[in-house]
Amino acid sequence: MSTIADLHIGEIGYISEESLDSIPLKLLEMGCLPGAEVQLIQLAPLKDPLYICVNGSHLAIRKETAEIIKILKSE
Amino acid sequence: MSKNDIKVALIGNPNTGKTSLFNQLTGLTQKVGNYPGVTVDKKEGISKLSATQNAIITDLPGTYSINPTSLDESIVLKTLLKKDIKESPDVILVVADVENLKRNLLLFSQIKDLEIPTVLAINMVDQMHRKGISIDLSLLKKELNTEVILISARKNEGIKEIKEAIIRCHVAAKASPLCGINHKIDPDYFHKLKEISSNYTLYELWLMVTQNNFPETITKVEKEKLLAFKQDTFKLKKYQHKETIFRYQEINKILKKTYIVDKTKATDLRGKLDKIFTHRIFGYVLFSLILLVIFQSIFDLASVPMDFIDATFAQISDFAKSSLPEGVLTDLLTEGIIPGIGGVIIFIPQIAILFLFIAILEETGYMSRVVFLMDKIMRRFGMNGISVIPLISGTACAIPAIMATRTISSWKERLITILVVPFTTCSARLPIYAILIALIIPDKKVLGFLNLQGLVLLSLYALGFASAIIAAYILHKTLKVESRSFFVVEMPNYKLPSLKNVFFDVLEKTKAFVFGAGKIILALSIVLWFLASNGGDSYKNVEKDVIENIANQQLNTDEIQQIIASKKLENSYIGILGKTIEPVIKPLGYDWKIGIALITSFAAREVFVGTLATIYSVEADDENTTTIKQKMASEVNATGGKLFNFPVGMSLMVFYAFAMQCMATLAIVKRETKSWKWPLIQLFGMTFLAYVSSFLTYQILS
């Protein structure tokens, strides 16, 4: 299954229900909830960190965090 | 401050315009705990709610949730859990951004569950139309069961309504929880938790368990029972996750009925700007250009007012000398106090300009983009993208910079940032650099438009940053500190900076610096003057000895006076002190007068220039008042050449680039790391580095 780290710039995914327990509490609180739409907006060099928009929040997260959040791609 | 004042705590997510609202409510009444030394770091101000009612507003650090992940956020929880009558807030004012209402309401729902009267201010409503947002206000009030006010803090709209709501809310009885946390998760578990104490709400008890944060008022028995709940950490973590999901479900239900966004109306200015500012090449180019502009303007813009201040204080001193009766008090005033105050005032232009730029970068939302761009690079050196903010702020003053590290959640990354911040070129080094550069670097243009002196200054800044980065890398590889690194940063919307916010920010920081550091500088100037105008037996006999020695030389009175003055300084207490350390600093190219300045600036770098000013004005003959710069330029060394020549000037600048000469910073590091170990490592490590580098610089150049 793919994760946020697999998204291309501009691509949209949906956070999968099964990653609930692995998402850090702080990210949950900032709107990174299962089922939420997540779009990759920009990548820093070396694809780290990632600039995402999730549930209306614009956040920068590190690759290591993005890799543990599983998503379903839209197509 | 009277007993009847309502205590209001201002809480909200970062970037919601909380500061704008605070500025509108309190204006010039706001106060921040002064540094150095004091531990207070909360901002307070008085707001006149009505003709008869005042409120004391406390501005708490921005946070996304009541569950803290950084030191800054833990202050919010601590304030809210306080139960003593004096400190606990009567009313909480939650500020939310209309565009991110859903996420903002999470914090609101947590606060509401603490059952403290709460007012919700939805800010930036002037943007609603443009973003296609509409709100059913009366229904929202009913659903949230609270006072909801639509405001536009920057445009000063809705402020009166907030004041009225605070009064109404204060008068009304105790508030009710919004969600309650026990319903769906595990009724049995939370029932047992609630039974522990009737003095606290269920949510307060739950926070004590999850956050390990107990108010002083709790009994021993209660605390033990609560600690028993902490045993099952797996359950605790799981229930915290469930609680958050549950809160969002409730919020979604409410917003579905009351909050509509027409996405077709949204304009994508942010997206366009982000394409440039966070671009993997242009992003860095722009960042470098912005830094270049900042540092060029500090040198160019500040030099005019600085020269003016320098000359003005020389004139004031001169005027006082000629119009006051001769005596010890006049001497103290003209040779100690006036140059001392001048040494503080002269900082204001540079500090204010630097703080101004930093405030603008923060206000516009650009700083977060820098954090995004720099995180990966900073991580290699054991720091965090957020570390860029302290490192840039450090160019103004290390003290607020070290306090700004509180938002870094990883202890190791935070510690490394704290330890290396004093390498960045703070404004206290600027006057030293400025005066030395003016003395040893010609005032020329390079490539037609770049000021050579400005370029040298820029390279000193680069030296500061480079040494900070290298030191961080060494610490990263050698420090054995256990800590989990976690990083998430919000990228706020771009905004035009609010003049009022920028003004208050610059005013507050400049004031703190001038009054904090100013006291040390002034006190040291007076001590210095005393030590320079008193001495042992040899000092008292100077006049007699000189006259005996030069009896057969043809000298006029002025010349004799000058010889007496310099002999006096040499034999004064401070002269003896300088002479004592002269052998140690001679290999660096310094004489005993510079030695005196090194000793006195041990507490604060900025004292260096002031000390030289005092020394040379004690020494100078009374007829000619010249500026410090002119006095320094005319100093001669043993071989008859200029004392402040190129090798000596460079050696001094290198010394001040590395040396940890700031007591206030050491005190802050002690406070933030809760140990003397780290400030002592800084002090000895940096002083050693300074000595060795200056030695090499002088020996190679001369």
Side-chain angles (χ1 to χ4, degrees):
Chain A
M1 193 180 236
S2 38
T3 66
I4 291 182
D6 298 318
L7 286 171
H8 300 289
I9 291 178
E11 201 181 3
I12 289 172
Y14 296 88
I15 297 176
S16 107
E17 296 288 337
E18 61 185 273
S19 45
L20 172 58
D21 288 334
S22 56
I23 301 175
L25 181 62
K26 174 131 184 179
L27 268 181
L28 271 185
E29 290 176 335
M30 291 175 90
C32 210
L33 302 162
E37 179 186 295
V38 51
Q39 182 181 26
L40 182 67
I41 295 183
Q42 186 70 278
L43 283 168
L46 303 171
K47 298 191 173 181
D48 190 13
L50 298 88
Y51 176 179
I52 58 169
C53 176
V54 55
N55 217 346
S57 286
H58 292 77
L59 310 172
I61 57 172
R62 284 180 181 168
K63 198 175 168 188
E64 59 196 40
T65 313
E67 279 167 346
I68 54 172
I69 304 174
K70 293 181 181 135
I71 52 159
L72 303 165
K73 288 204 185 181
S74 44
E75 71 281 301
Chain B
M1 210 184 268
S2 85
K3 265 189 188 166
N4 297 323
D5 291 350
I6 305 176
K7 293 186 290 287
V8 179
L10 192 56
I11 298 179
N13 284 191
N15 313 308
T16 48
K18 198 164 61 65
T19 310
S20 300
L21 179 57
F22 181 68
N23 288 341
Q24 295 289 12
L25 284 172
T26 61
L28 280 167
T29 68
Q30 51 186 269
K31 265 189 288 191
V32 188
N34 275 345
Y35 46 80
V38 261
T39 52
V40 191
D41 46 281
K42 61 175 180 185
K43 279 207 279 186
E44 275 188 337
I46 296 166
S47 183
K48 204 171 170 53
L49 299 181
S50 70
T52 53
Q53 182 69 64
N54 278 351
I56 301 163
I57 318 260
T58 307
D59 187 19
L60 292 169
T63 181
Y64 296 100
S65 143
I66 236 174
N67 304 317
T69 47
S70 70
L71 190 67
D72 231 13
E73 294 173 351
S74 68
I75 293 166
V76 177
L77 181 65
K78 269 198 191 112
T79 311
L80 294 180
L81 281 185
K82 269 211 177 103
K83 279 287 158 180
D84 52 286
I85 312 296
K86 257 195 228 151
E87 300 236 18
S88 65
D90 300 318
V91 175
I92 295 178
L93 178 55
V94 178
V95 191
D97 167 11
V98 70
E99 216 188 327
N100 288 313
L101 194 56
K102 195 199 290 175
R103 196 191 62 212
N104 285 268
L105 284 181
L106 177 84
L107 178 65
F108 171 80
S109 79
Q110 293 172 328
I111 286 164
K112 197 85 172 60
D113 284 355
L114 290 172
E115 297 176 36
I116 306 172
T118 305
V119 175
L120 175 67
I122 301 180
N123 194 10
M124 304 189 223
V125 291
D126 53 314
Q127 307 279 322
M128 267 167 72
H129 182 69
R130 206 164 57 82
K131 311 248 173 190
I133 299 169
S134 51
I135 294 176
D136 182 343
L137 188 61
S138 56
L139 188 59
L140 188 64
K141 273 185 197 169
K142 215 178 106 208
E143 291 284 336
L144 295 176
N145 188 16
T146 198
E147 294 272 359
V148 183
I149 315 287
L150 298 182
I151 65 163
S152 176
R154 282 184 173 213
K155 297 195 168 162
N156 208 3
E157 286 165 11
I159 307 298
K160 198 174 129 258
E161 287 79 0
I162 284 192
K163 291 179 175 177
E164 290 162 2
I166 291 173
I167 296 177
R168 279 200 303 274
C169 196
H170 182 54
V171 171
K174 207 177 179 189
S176 54
L178 181 67
C179 306
I181 48 169
N182 52 346
H183 300 300
K184 290 181 187 169
I185 304 172
D186 185 342
D188 201 35
Y189 180 90
F190 284 99
H191 186 68
K192 274 187 200 141
L193 183 64
K194 179 70 190 100
E195 275 186 338
I196 291 178
S197 171
S198 56
N199 294 328
Y200 300 95
T201 65
L202 174 59
Y203 191 53
E204 283 171 331
L205 294 168
W206 174 236
L207 283 174
M208 291 177 206
V209 174
T210 54
Q211 304 306 324
N212 203 14
N213 193 329
F214 301 95
E216 285 153 28
T217 41
I218 200 149
T219 67
K220 230 180 165 181
V221 184
E222 287 169 341
K223 190 172 170 179
E224 267 168 33
K225 283 186 187 163
L226 287 170
L227 285 172
F229 267 84
K230 283 182 64 71
Q231 300 298 323
D232 194 345
T233 49
F234 178 74
K235 212 175 210 176
L236 221 57
K237 195 182 156 223
K238 198 169 167 179
Y239 286 180
Q240 273 188 296
H241 274 66
K242 279 202 169 171
E243 179 203 330
T244 306
I245 304 269
F246 176 60
R247 284 184 190 281
Y248 266 112
Q249 282 169 354
E250 291 290 313
I251 291 163
N252 276 334
K253 250 188 257 166
I254 293 171
L255 288 186
K256 215 169 189 176
K257 289 183 259 181
T258 56
Y259 181 88
I260 300 157
V261 187
D262 179 0
K263 281 198 173 157
T264 56
K265 283 200 179 161
T267 52
D268 197 27
L269 178 67
R270 163 203 203 107
K272 281 176 198 150
L273 288 174
D274 269 335
K275 278 216 173 72
I276 309 164
F277 286 126
T278 64
H279 190 273
R280 62 186 70 177
I281 297 159
F282 300 132
Y284 295 95
V285 173
L286 271 169
F287 181 44
S288 316
L289 280 178
I290 289 170
L291 287 182
L292 187 73
V293 168
I294 292 176
F295 296 132
Q296 280 279 322
S297 25
I298 289 167
F299 203 71
D300 281 349
L301 296 179
S303 66
V304 179
M306 285 181 79
D307 286 345
F308 173 76
I309 292 167
D310 197 7
T312 309
F313 272 88
Q315 279 166 5
I316 294 174
S317 196
D318 192 31
F319 174 76
K321 219 177 269 181
S322 59
S323 53
L324 289 172
E326 261 184 56
V328 182
L329 274 177
T330 306
D331 282 356
L332 172 64
L333 193 67
T334 56
E335 291 164 10
I337 295 174
I338 294 174
I341 295 175
V344 183
I345 305 286
I346 201 159
F347 280 109
I348 293 176
Q350 283 172 332
I351 290 187
I353 290 173
L354 242 168
F355 281 136
L356 176 76
F357 277 109
I358 291 169
I360 291 172
L361 293 187
E362 298 238 27
E363 268 276 308
T364 49
Y366 178 71
M367 212 58 126
S368 302
R369 273 69 189 182
V370 176
V371 170
F372 168 74
L373 286 174
M374 299 301 285
D375 181 62
K376 181 82 187 180
I377 300 165
M378 301 303 276
R379 229 182 308 162
R380 289 226 175 118
F381 300 98
M383 291 186 281
N384 182 306
I386 303 170
S387 307
V388 174
I389 299 172
L391 289 178
I392 296 176
S393 317
T395 56
C397 176
I399 295 161
I402 285 169
M403 301 210 287
T405 62
R406 288 177 178 179
T407 49
I408 302 174
S409 55
S410 149
W411 168 239
K412 188 180 175 182
E413 291 172 346
R414 179 161 172 247
L415 179 64
I416 292 179
T417 312
I418 289 175
L419 291 177
V420 305
V421 156
F423 277 111
T424 56
T425 306
C426 68
S427 41
R429 288 174 173 108
L430 264 178
I432 304 174
Y433 290 167
I435 207 156
L436 290 171
I437 286 175
L439 285 172
I440 64 169
I441 309 287
D443 187 6
K444 277 198 307 204
K445 296 269 175 203
V446 192
L447 299 171
F449 66 100
L450 289 169
N451 181 324
L452 181 63
Q453 295 184 330
L455 277 181
V456 172
L457 187 70
L458 189 69
S459 45
L460 283 162
Y461 274 94
L463 177 68
F465 280 123
S467 38
I469 294 279
I470 294 166
Y473 187 74
I474 295 167
L475 290 167
H476 177 45
K477 292 291 167 196
T478 52
L479 273 185
K480 296 277 173 278
V481 181
E482 285 279 320
S483 117
R484 205 174 52 91
S485 164
F486 179 70
F487 171 89
V488 54
V489 174
E490 192 192 359
M491 309 289 263
N493 236 330
Y494 291 101
K495 277 190 303 232
L496 281 176
S498 134
L499 282 181
K500 197 164 186 176
N501 289 356
V502 170
F503 171 76
F504 276 115
D505 197 52
V506 172
L507 183 73
E508 172 202 318
K509 287 179 173 159
T510 311
K511 228 166 75 182
F513 183 91
V514 171
F515 289 112
K519 273 181 230 152
I520 303 178
I521 300 174
L522 187 60
L524 277 172
S525 317
I526 295 170
V527 171
L528 204 66
W529 169 82
F530 176 81
L531 291 177
S533 25
N534 289 280
D537 286 341
S538 57
Y539 177 84
K540 291 180 188 111
N541 296 330
V542 159
E543 231 158 299
K544 209 177 76 196
D545 292 349
V546 168
I547 291 169
E548 275 172 19
N549 273 333
I550 57 165
N552 49 359
Q553 291 173 34
Q554 295 291 318
L555 292 169
N556 62 30
T557 17
D558 277 359
E559 284 167 319
I560 295 170
Q561 284 304 327
Q562 189 143 20
I563 293 170
I564 291 173
S566 76
K567 284 281 171 201
K568 267 189 168 172
L569 182 65
E570 212 174 319
N571 287 293
S572 67
Y573 292 125
I574 197 84
I576 296 165
L577 206 59
K579 288 263 179 189
T580 314
I581 67 155
E582 197 172 22
V584 183
I585 54 170
K586 206 154 194 167
L588 312 184
Y590 313 152
D591 71 351
W592 58 275
K593 284 183 210 160
I594 299 179
I596 295 170
L598 284 187
I599 295 172
T600 54
S601 65
F602 208 73
R605 300 175 179 98
E606 53 272 35
V607 178
F608 178 81
V609 177
T611 301
L612 290 181
T614 312
I615 292 172
Y616 297 141
S617 60
V618 170
E619 198 185 22
D621 72 83
D622 288 5
E623 309 302 316
N624 297 311
T625 304
T626 41
T627 64
I628 305 171
K629 206 195 282 178
Q630 287 165 315
K631 282 175 193 157
M632 284 172 75
S634 59
E635 275 293 297
V636 279
N637 61 19
T639 57
K642 274 191 177 175
L643 174 66
F644 290 97
N645 56 19
F646 187 69
V648 171
M650 289 306 284
S651 164
L652 265 175
M653 287 199 281
V654 168
F655 186 87
Y656 278 95
F658 293 133
M660 176 72 232
Q661 295 193 291
C662 181
M663 300 246 258
T665 303
L666 290 171
I668 287 285
V669 173
K670 152 77 176 44
R671 191 183 99 194
E672 298 289 317
T673 61
K674 298 189 183 71
S675 131
W676 275 112
K677 179 181 164 191
W678 303 114
L680 287 174
I681 287 176
Q682 273 181 319
L683 177 63
F684 289 110
M686 291 175 72
T687 307
F688 176 74
L689 182 64
Y691 188 87
V692 173
S693 321
S694 308
F695 175 78
L696 292 175
T697 309
Y698 181 69
Q699 296 300 335
I700 292 166
L701 291 177
S702 63

